[in-house]
Amino acid sequence: MQIKGIERYLALFIPFFLAVIFQKDPATSYLISWSGSFFIFLITLSGWVKPLPNDRTLGEQLMRPLFIMQIIFAGFMSCTSIFYFLDTLGYNDFKKISNFYLVDQSRIMLLAQCQRYYCLAHASFVTGILVCMKYPKKKKYHIENNTLANLLLRIALISFPVSIFFLKIPGLSQFYFQLSALSFIAGTLALAFAIPLKKALETTICSFLYAFNLYQAFHSGFKEPIIISLLVLGVFLYPIYKKLVISIFGPLLFISFLLLPSYVNSFRQNAWSGEADETESSQIALDAALNNDNDESNWDFFVYRLSEVDMFTVFIRSTPENVDYYGATLIEQSIIAIIPRAFWPEKPITENLVMERVYNAGVVNRLSTVSAKPAFVVDAYLSGGPWGIIFYLFLYGAIAQLISIKAESLFGGYVLGSALIFSGLFQILWRGLSFEFLINSVFWSYISMIIIFNILKRAKILKPV
């Protein structure tokens, strides 16, 4: 008998319920919930739960929420804890420390509980996407195909200096991050258009823009911009050069994951301490990564920094036993965060609001200068436990999907709608930060989307259908 309707959505939660059944055996429970996320990837990306949109080929819709956002957000959240699990069992660099190693039972029990919540969050998040995924939606406007490539290049060239302008205005720096991300996506997408068309001038300009963004990524001191720079170009080129992209960008991303921990650690030690300028620090860090001079830190990076599960275990240990659930408090603080500081100079500092719950849980000491902002799934848990995870993660996926559909409706389809506007302005949704930072960014990104739409409409670039 063929399964239809709601039963297929319920299948997304099977790994979570199986993991709960085996919770008295934490290692087994962990492995069920961890592998359960791969099961969720399989049945959603194959179209088994809900048929994939048929308005474009698979390779031509990878920037929609079901694909790249699920892979990055859910993949980072649910799959990266495997190194922490191995470390808990007594492994270092995939080698058993000792045959007599005693596993800390309280640690592995907390880890298994966190992983069950990750699996629950993944299922709830993708359910929100699928329920609202209704492509193709009727488009209100369209753009001439022969002007698309040049438009993308112009957006890239204009949005970057405008972003610098906002960086100089106190209280409006968030628009810098939006528009600089939009400039990067537009330039990368323009490069992907220019290469197959063999337009020498456009390809040269776009290549320069991409190289500049990659240069900035390597001097940021963070691994994410570098990985995203490579990933996005590969995704944009994939529909035309499938085999070439898989053979080049696949190994390139894998090598990046191996080398970036050493590179980033070395770069920060030299650049952030003032021992060397950014260019010199980058060269030192690159040499350290290629020569494997910082090999020991790679395992620590994979265990404690690639995944945020260690922090999650601390929150679970303290809430609700020592600190009660926050209820609607975090949403109230997020509404306050939306108001630009330019209009309310005395507004509470968002960082301080977020860090208060970090201090309450004992993640870091109040006298420490370390910033340890909780992930979105952690805030969902702190707001209402497992039910908070179900509610907020479903809402997270649904809102992301609705924004993508709205963008495609306004901007004439997938290329400008999801690939450019959604991926550029709403890139924060790929990671899922604390409630206050994420809700503030998404709100003002939506306003930016409407403003850009009206500019293109008045310029008669977007024309009514």
Side-chain angles (χ1 to χ4, degrees), residues 169-189:
I169 302 178
L172 296 180
S173 59
Q174 62 181 325
F175 292 102
Y176 161 76
F177 297 104
Q178 293 177 19
L179 293 175
S180 60
L182 183 67
S183 175
F184 162 67
I185 294 291
T188 308
L189 191 53

Side-chain angles (χ1 to χ4, degrees), residues 215-365:
Y215 173 84
Q216 283 193 313
F218 271 96
H219 288 78
S220 67
F222 298 95
K223 62 187 181 299
E224 290 87 353
I226 303 172
I227 293 173
I228 288 176
S229 296
L230 298 173
L231 179 64
V232 168
L233 180 60
V235 168
F236 285 157
L237 290 174
Y238 177 77
I240 304 172
Y241 306 105
K242 291 183 176 64
K243 293 182 179 179
L244 188 64
V245 167
I246 292 173
S247 61
I248 293 178
F249 283 87
L252 196 58
L253 287 169
F254 178 74
I255 293 171
S256 298
F257 273 105
L258 293 179
L259 297 182
L260 281 178
S262 291
Y263 174 86
V264 170
N265 286 340
S266 178
F267 180 88
R268 291 178 178 178
Q269 289 173 8
N270 291 280
W272 293 7
S273 65
E275 294 179 8
D277 60 27
E278 290 185 348
T279 302
E280 186 180 355
S281 297
S282 180
Q283 185 60 52
I284 295 172
L286 187 59
D287 291 340
L290 293 176
N291 295 324
N292 208 23
D293 292 342
N294 202 15
D295 183 63
E296 185 178 351
S297 68
N298 280 355
W299 183 252
D300 291 336
F301 172 86
F302 289 133
V303 173
Y304 294 105
R305 294 179 58 195
L306 180 61
S307 169
E308 297 178 346
V309 70
D310 186 58
M311 186 193 301
F312 197 6
T313 62
V314 180
F315 280 108
I316 286 181
R317 191 184 297 118
S318 64
T319 301
E321 185 174 342
N322 300 321
V323 181
D324 198 8
Y325 292 122
Y326 287 83
T329 301
L330 305 189
I331 296 298
E332 293 169 1
Q333 292 180 175
S334 300
I335 294 173
I336 292 174
I338 287 175
I339 304 172
R341 192 167 299 278
F343 304 134
W344 183 11
E346 296 81 19
K347 184 182 77 169
I349 299 174
T350 304
E351 177 86 10
N352 293 345
L353 294 175
V354 174
M355 287 302 294
E356 190 61 31
R357 55 186 178 272
V358 176
Y359 297 140
N360 291 341
V363 175
V364 296
N365 189 284

Side-chain angles (χ1 to χ4, degrees), residues 1 20 29 82 89 111 137 199 201 210 214 229 274 289 297 309 311 336 343 347 351 353 360 365 397 435 458-459:
M1 177 176 157
V20 170
S29 181
I82 188 65
L89 295 182
L111 170 60
K137 191 174 178 66
K199 293 185 175 182
L201 179 61
Y210 182 80
L214 193 60
S229 296
S297 68
V309 70
M311 186 193 301
I336 292 174
F343 304 134
K347 184 182 77 169
E351 177 86 10
L353 294 175
N360 291 341
N365 189 284
F435 276 16
R458 288 179 180 273

Side-chain angles (χ1 to χ4, degrees), residues 60-80:
E60 293 174 337
Q61 54 179 312
L62 293 177
M63 300 303 286
R64 283 173 171 167
L66 181 64
F67 299 96
I68 192 167
M69 184 179 164
Q70 182 190 180
I71 291 171
I72 294 177
F73 173 73
F76 174 80
M77 174 181 66
S78 303
C79 303
T80 55

